[in-house]
């Protein structure tokens, strides 16, 4: 109890630094959380807009939400350190349904996104990739182990794996 009181009161020398770090982490988490709460356009006046169709509803929604949070965190950090080009993201929920994903992907391409990013799942990626390929736009970081995205080599697909 004494240590907890000291942490709150800041009487331990290292506690003030830790308190500040925790406050910063919570503030950044809140910014990302609020940005992911409402799908659609994030930073719509950005110089470069990326498009995402992913699962944000249903039993697999955590996958899409976490993917979006990661993308937004990276974009926020980029925009904080770089005036130009600024990055934005438009996200639509496909509910892990390939038909909805295909419609979302067509919509994103018609809206003129620079690239598709953060697809979640093989069934949806298999419908989105041909549309990206036909539009000659990059297909970046799909969350799937599907081999059709790695072999044969395709110049518009950017895969990464942990």
């Amino acid at each position: 109890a004494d240590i907890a009181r000291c942490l709150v009161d800041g009487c331990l020398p290292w506690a003030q630094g830790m308190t500040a770090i925790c406050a910063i982490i919570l503030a950044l988490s809140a910014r990302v959380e609020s940005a992911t709460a409402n799908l659609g356009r994030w930073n719509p006046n950005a110089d470069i807009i990326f498009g995402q169709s992913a699962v944000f509803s249903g039993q697999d929604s955590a996958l899409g939400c976490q993917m979006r949070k990661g993308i937004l965190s990276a974009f926020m950090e980029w925009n904080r350190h770089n005036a130009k080009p600024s990055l934005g993201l438009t996200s639509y929920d496909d509910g892990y349904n390939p038909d909805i994903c295909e419609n979302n992907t067509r919509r994103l391409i018609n809206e003129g996104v620079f690239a598709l990013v953060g697809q979640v799942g093989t069934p949806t990626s298999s419908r989105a990739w041909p549309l990206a390929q036909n539009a000659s736009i990059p297909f970046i970081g799909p969350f799937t182990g599907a081999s059709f995205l790695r072999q044969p080599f395709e110049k518009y697909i950017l895969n990464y794996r942990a």
Side-chain angles (χ1 to χ4, degrees):
D2 290 334
I3 292 176
R5 191 178 70 250
C6 283
L7 286 174
V8 172
D9 295 339
C11 62
L12 296 176
W14 54 268
Q16 290 176 335
M18 291 303 294
T19 301
I21 289 170
C22 288
I24 290 168
I25 290 170
L26 287 173
L28 288 174
S29 296
R31 284 185 63 202
V32 171
E33 190 66 41
S34 67
T36 59
N38 299 315
L39 293 179
R41 291 174 176 79
W42 175 83
N43 200 18
N45 296 319
D47 300 314
I48 299 173
I49 303 291
F50 290 78
Q52 178 188 32
S53 178
V55 55
F56 298 111
S57 61
Q59 76 179 49
D60 295 321
S61 63
L63 296 172
C65 291
Q66 293 301 317
M67 178 68 84
R68 187 169 195 265
K69 283 181 184 180
I71 293 166
L72 290 179
S73 294
F75 284 10
M76 286 177 189
E77 187 68 9
W78 171 268
N79 290 343
R80 191 168 71 85
H81 291 288
N82 303 281
K84 294 287 180 178
S86 59
L87 305 178
L89 180 66
T90 299
S91 300
Y92 297 127
D93 182 14
D94 61 31
Y96 207 70
N97 180 311
D99 293 330
I100 295 171
C101 176
E102 185 174 331
N103 291 335
N104 288 348
T105 303
R106 288 182 194 283
R107 179 177 175 188
L108 290 163
I109 291 169
N110 288 337
E111 290 173 2
V113 297
F114 167 75
L116 297 176
V117 64
Q119 294 289 131
V120 175
T122 300
T124 52
S125 293
S126 69
R127 297 285 281 277
W129 159 237
L131 299 173
Q133 184 180 35
N134 289 340
S136 299
I137 64 170
F139 193 69
I140 303 170
F143 184 71
T144 173
S147 61
F148 73 87
L149 295 172
R150 289 185 297 285
Q151 295 173 354
F153 172 78
E154 296 286 347
K155 68 179 180 179
Y156 289 107
I157 297 177
L158 176 61
N159 285 297
Y160 57 87
R161 298 186 90 159

